[in-house]
């Protein structure tokens, strides 16, 4: 349920093996992209020239980790894809059974591999069995789309996601570190989790997502506003923000640190890490006969800087 008026001022499941044409002695050239991996099939037959290629699963093309399975003809496959192809070899279509390729698992123990996000800037190289743990936390790994209210599967770096939010989700984009945000709703008695909005701000050369939504907190309908930083948590800690809402001589103020978009929108919301306004108070702020919601949320973002004299953090407000 969307607001009546919003103004801002300033996998591969159930694989059919007949459709899979792979061989251990064939490889594909992969071009990494922000949101898709486009595999370009090499029409010419060329033998595998490295152990790394032998460890590439012929189905998902990812590096294989124990247990590595093989069929009676010696074709290997990762344990995840073994289930996906219904226990039938995608190369020769023989039944896979439960044969382990112990020799290839031993070879894997001696290898060091670059992080799979090397094309995105990660320079690290890890022992084969440490690679997965690093990649799960790699600072260069793509970000999930921060758009709330729908299950968007797009991933990418920050510039790509900013363009995606603007072009595909039609999100409002604003420059500056202060904002004056008005939320108007003609029937505030209807509060559902689907009531939400998103605005993206560009300041200090970074991007921030301002969320505002209505949802049920237990049995009480509430409104909530919070900020997320489009980057990693360590960088998010360099910034602070404040939100203010009020009316009729009263006001509520929230100050905090923006959460990284590594944390999902739902995680931030459910942790109550933001400005929460109960509906009765929101209607009081709106004035009038309390039959229409008219909230104005103002805020600012600043960067914490170290004072060269005292060492304490001092705010650096953007103009």
């Amino acid at each position: 349920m969307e607001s009546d008026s919003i103004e801002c001022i300033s996998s591969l499941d159930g694989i059919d093996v007949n459709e899979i044409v792979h061989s251990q002695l064939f490889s594909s050239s992969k071009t990494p992209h922000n949101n898709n991996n486009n595999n370009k099939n090499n029409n010419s037959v060329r033998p595998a020239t490295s152990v790394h290629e032998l460890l590439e699963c012929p189905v998902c093309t990812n590096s294989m980790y124990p247990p590595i399975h093989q069929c009676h003809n010696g074709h290997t496959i990762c344990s995840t894809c073994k289930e996906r192809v219904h226990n039938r070899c995608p190369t020769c279509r023989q039944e896979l059974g439960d044969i382990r390729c112990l020799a290839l698992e031993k070879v894997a123990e001696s290898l060091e591999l670059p992080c799979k996000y090397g094309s995105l800037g990660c320079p690290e190289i890890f022992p084969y069995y440490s690679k997965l743990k690093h990649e799960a936390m790699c600072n260069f790994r793509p970000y999930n789309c921060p758009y709330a209210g729908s299950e968007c599967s797009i991933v990418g770096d920050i510039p790509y996601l900013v363009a995606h939010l603007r072009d595909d989700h039609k999100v409002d984009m604003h420059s500056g570190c202060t904002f004056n945000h008005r939320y108007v709703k003609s029937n505030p008695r209807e509060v559902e989790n689907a009531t939400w909005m998103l605005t993206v701000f560009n300041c200090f050369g970074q991007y921030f997502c301002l969320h505002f939504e209505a949802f049920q907190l237990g049995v009480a309908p509430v409104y909530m506003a919070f900020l997320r930083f489009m980057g990693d948590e360590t960088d998010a800690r360099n910034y602070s923000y404040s939100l203010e809402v009020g009316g009729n001589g009263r006001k509520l103020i929230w100050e905090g640190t923006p959460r990284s978009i590594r944390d999902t929108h739902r995680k931030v919301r459910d942790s109550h890490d933001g400005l929460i306004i109960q509906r009765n108070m929101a209607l009081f702020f709106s004035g009038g006969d309390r039959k229409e919601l008219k909230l104005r949320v103002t805020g600012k973002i600043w960067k914490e800087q170290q004072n060269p004299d005292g060492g304490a953090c001092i705010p650096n407000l953007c103009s």
Side-chain angles (χ1 to χ4, degrees):
M1 178 174 62
E2 297 184 354
S3 61
D4 297 335
S5 175
I6 295 170
E7 177 184 359
C8 186
I9 307 170
S10 189
S11 294
L12 191 61
D13 295 323
I15 293 178
D16 184 351
V17 296
N18 292 322
E19 297 178 359
I20 299 174
V21 183
H22 276 288
S23 170
Q24 284 183 277
L25 299 182
F26 288 67
S27 66
S28 61
S29 62
K30 297 186 285 290
T31 303
H33 191 272
N34 286 327
N35 64 318
N36 288 300
N37 287 332
N38 298 321
N39 294 336
K40 299 179 181 179
N41 293 330
N42 190 342
N43 294 326
S44 60
V45 178
R46 65 183 181 88
T49 57
S50 70
V51 177
H52 296 171
E53 292 181 1
L54 290 175
L55 287 167
E56 183 180 274
C57 175
V59 176
C60 65
T61 71
N62 293 324
S63 297
M64 293 185 289
Y65 292 82
I68 300 175
H69 298 274
Q70 69 176 34
C71 71
H72 291 280
N73 293 323
H75 304 122
T76 56
I77 189 172
C78 74
S79 57
T80 301
C81 290
K82 179 176 181 288
E83 297 179 1
R84 292 177 175 177
V85 297
H86 308 298
N87 202 38
R88 190 166 293 276
C89 177
T91 303
C92 66
R93 302 194 178 115
Q94 297 296 313
E95 187 173 348
L96 286 167
D98 294 314
I99 305 173
R100 292 273 294 274
C101 186
L102 299 179
L104 200 55
E105 291 180 7
K106 287 289 185 182
V107 170
E109 293 178 358
S110 65
L111 292 181
E112 290 189 346
L113 297 175
C115 172
K116 71 177 180 180
Y117 302 122
S119 61
L120 300 178
C122 183
E124 302 293 339
I125 297 177
F126 295 89
Y128 194 80
Y129 292 106
S130 302
K131 182 170 173 282
L132 277 182
K133 183 177 180 180
H134 160 77
E135 289 172 349
M137 300 299 296
C138 179
N139 289 336
F140 292 92
R141 71 191 188 278
Y143 296 88
N144 294 316
C145 173
Y147 192 73
S150 66
E151 297 296 329
C152 182
S153 61
I154 295 298
V155 298
D157 59 17
I158 298 304
Y160 178 83
L161 289 182
V162 170
H164 165 67
L165 289 170
R166 182 192 63 229
D167 299 336
D168 298 332
H169 293 298
K170 310 303 179 185
V171 169
D172 288 336
M173 301 283 172
H174 296 271
S175 295
C177 300
T178 61
F179 46 88
N180 188 338
H181 189 109
R182 189 173 66 174
Y183 184 88
V184 179
K185 187 171 178 56
S186 60
N187 186 4
R189 297 297 171 182
E190 295 180 0
V191 177
E192 297 178 2
N193 288 348
T195 303
W196 49 262
M197 62 171 297
L198 173 66
T199 307
V200 173
F201 293 91
N202 178 9
C203 68
F204 296 110
Q206 305 290 341
Y207 290 93
F208 300 82
C209 297
L210 175 65
H211 295 266
F212 188 88
E213 65 178 273
F215 64 99
Q216 295 286 147
L217 183 56
V219 295
V222 299
Y223 300 93
M224 182 175 179
F226 58 90
L227 199 72
R228 286 201 292 167
F229 174 74
M230 295 189 70
D232 282 321
E233 181 182 357
T234 53
D235 294 326
R237 293 171 184 164
N238 295 325
Y239 302 91
S240 297
Y241 75 101
S242 66
L243 297 172
E244 180 177 318
V245 62
N248 288 331
R250 278 86 169 172
K251 63 181 178 181
L252 294 175
I253 299 175
W254 164 269
E255 286 192 3
T257 301
R259 297 279 286 270
S260 166
I261 60 171
R262 295 287 190 202
D263 289 337
T264 65
H265 159 268
R266 182 177 294 275
K267 180 178 180 180
V268 179
R269 188 197 72 184
D270 290 349
S271 67
H272 307 159
D273 193 1
L275 176 65
I276 297 179
I277 315 153
Q278 293 183 349
R279 184 173 64 187
N280 287 338
M281 182 63 72
L283 292 174
F284 178 76
F285 288 156
S286 301
D289 56 8
R290 299 192 179 190
K291 292 183 178 179
E292 184 178 34
L293 184 74
K294 293 181 179 180
L295 282 181
R296 185 176 295 275
V297 179
T298 61
K300 62 184 178 182
I301 305 167
W302 64 90
K303 186 175 183 179
E304 301 288 355
Q305 288 188 333
Q306 290 294 326
N307 187 334
D309 297 324
C313 289
I314 56 176
N316 176 23
L317 299 177
C318 93
S319 57

